[in-house]
Amino acid sequence: MRFGYSDTCLDHNPGPRHPESPDRLRAIREGLKRKHGVEYVESDPATLETIAAVHDREYLEEVREFCANGGGNWDPDTTAVEATWDAAIQSAGLACWAAETALDGADGRETPFSLGRPPGHHAVFDDAMGFCFVNNVAVATQYAIDERDAERVAIVDWDVHHGNGTQDILYDRGDVFFVSLHEGGLYPGTGEIDEIGEGDGEGTTMNVPMPPAADDVDYLAALDDVIAPALGAFDPDLLLVSAGFDAHRHDPISRIRLSTEAYALMTDRIRTLADDVDAALAFVLEGGYGLEVLADSVALVHETFDGREPIEPDGDVSVDVDETLGEVAEAHGLEY
């Protein structure tokens, strides 16, 4: 894969006890050292105008001034330092690079993966939250539409937390289909099945809140039985993955029970879906706070594109997940 990366993203340092630390990127880079075919690309930072296409401009100016004055606690979870603004616009620029590179035809072993931080999927239109200041995947989506003439973009967010910010920004959009596959009831407490979009966007938001202890088999069923049919019907030009790795069973922040292999399996499913609808494909880093499993999981995404065949799990879909998927299918008029 081709990884978008910049040392600028290391300069955002919320403090030694904060889970969203620069060590996340260092661990990923260290884990990729032993892999073949890894290439790093540094992009330009996103411009204020590009970011303001999906965020309130006054809010962005407030964040920039907040950082220029030394930063501090924006909220109890979301901390800035002087370098945070530059890291945030760099992270958004890397996401735009990933979308652009995919639309330029990069695929297979050249598939782009943006390794930016701070992450973005909790940042709403006019506020920061959940470690996020700029919604990187939403910025990249709008950039692809405005600058690269993509007509329809789909986003699959497999971070363990609901992508509330992405949903907030895109909720009334008919040209973007947003899917969030997350642990139900976890921070930030949004992402219910009946949140399906409104106005022109009615039906283009799909939330799949998974019960605690959902595992590889359960997640693959969600992808195969409700997400793939919905996105296949939507027929996007570009498919972006908000790739968080905190649903891993050894991540300290959730109760979902995914294995490392699950990320290879989900990557393979997403790649197949993109191929089936002839969509460009790119990945944008979100969460993942167990450094070793984060590094191993990102490396396995890379290895999947480098030719490794994922190993299918044994077992049946849990009763709770089967019920959830039935409700999701009903909300979106799908057979299940």
Side-chain angles (χ1 to χ4, degrees):
M1 300 185 81
R2 300 179 72 194
F3 290 93
Y5 173 82
S6 172
D7 283 343
T8 300
C9 293
L10 299 176
D11 296 335
H12 166 62
N13 191 346
R17 297 187 179 183
H18 200 285
E20 207 294 286
S21 79
D23 288 340
R24 297 177 64 234
L25 294 190
R26 295 187 182 106
I28 291 171
R29 293 267 302 206
E30 187 65 26
L32 290 170
K33 276 185 178 180
R34 301 178 295 275
K35 307 303 176 184
H36 297 290
V38 176
E39 179 186 354
Y40 292 101
V41 178
E42 182 165 2
S43 72
D44 292 330
T47 65
L48 185 63
E49 288 70 26
T50 296
I51 299 171
V54 299
H55 280 292
D56 177 69
R57 184 152 189 147
E58 289 186 9
Y59 156 69
L60 296 174
E61 296 284 7
E62 185 179 357
V63 173
R64 183 163 65 174
E65 183 177 356
F66 184 72
C67 295
N69 290 332
N73 292 325
W74 185 274
D75 66 25
D77 298 315
T78 311
T79 302
V81 295
E82 185 175 355
T84 296
W85 174 255
D86 286 343
I89 63 174
Q90 181 64 66
S91 189
L94 289 168
C96 291
W97 163 84
E100 182 171 47
T101 300
L103 287 166
D104 281 343
D107 58 9
R109 287 180 167 86
E110 300 296 311
T111 300
F113 193 144
S114 165
L115 298 178
R117 60 172 294 278
H121 73 151
H122 293 310
V124 298
F125 172 70
D126 60 357
D127 203 3
M129 60 181 292
F131 313 161
C132 305
F133 291 91
V134 171
N135 196 304
N136 303 313
V137 77
V139 172
T141 294
Q142 194 62 48
Y143 177 83
I145 292 169
D146 290 345
E147 303 296 331
R148 298 308 310 269
D149 297 325
E151 295 183 2
R152 298 163 78 82
V153 179
I155 302 165
V156 175
D157 187 333
W158 72 38
D159 189 281
V160 80
H161 303 94
H162 177 237
N164 65 297
T166 313
Q167 175 173 300
D168 172 74
I169 291 168
L170 302 171
Y171 202 58
D172 61 355
R173 296 280 294 272
D175 55 349
V176 184
F177 199 117
F178 173 63
V179 178
S180 184
L181 181 57
H182 56 273
E183 181 181 335
L186 195 64
Y187 178 91
T190 51
E192 298 297 328
I193 292 170
D194 61 0
E195 297 169 21
I196 63 168
E198 63 185 14
D200 291 343
E202 184 174 354
T204 60
T205 293
M206 173 182 281
N207 284 301
V208 188
M210 301 295 268
D215 61 13
D216 300 12
V217 172
D218 298 321
Y219 265 61
L220 294 178
L223 283 166
D224 292 341
D225 297 338
V226 293
I227 296 172
L231 294 189
F234 183 71
D235 192 24
D237 304 308
L238 172 65
L239 177 53
L240 297 173
V241 180
S242 266
F245 296 89
D246 39 8
H248 195 287
R249 65 184 61 164
H250 295 310
D251 192 279
I253 214 163
S254 78
R255 297 170 294 173
I256 299 296
R257 305 295 298 164
L258 294 188
S259 69
T260 306
E261 190 69 24
Y263 291 103
L265 290 157
M266 293 194 295
T267 296
D268 189 51
R269 295 299 205 277
I270 293 289
R271 175 177 59 181
T272 299
L273 173 60
D275 288 344
D276 287 346
V277 299
D278 194 27
L281 175 62
F283 292 73
V284 177
L285 183 66
E286 298 288 358
Y289 306 100
L291 297 183
E292 183 176 350
V293 295
L294 170 63
D296 289 346
S297 299
V298 172
L300 210 52
V301 171
H302 165 72
E303 288 183 43
T304 303
F305 283 99
D306 201 39
R308 180 185 180 277
E309 290 289 334
I311 301 169
E312 291 288 332
D314 295 323
D316 298 320
V317 176
S318 72
V319 173
D320 288 345
V321 169
D322 186 61
E323 181 178 337
T324 295
L325 298 184
E327 293 175 4
V328 173
E330 182 178 3
H332 288 271
L334 300 171
E335 293 185 8
Y336 180 73

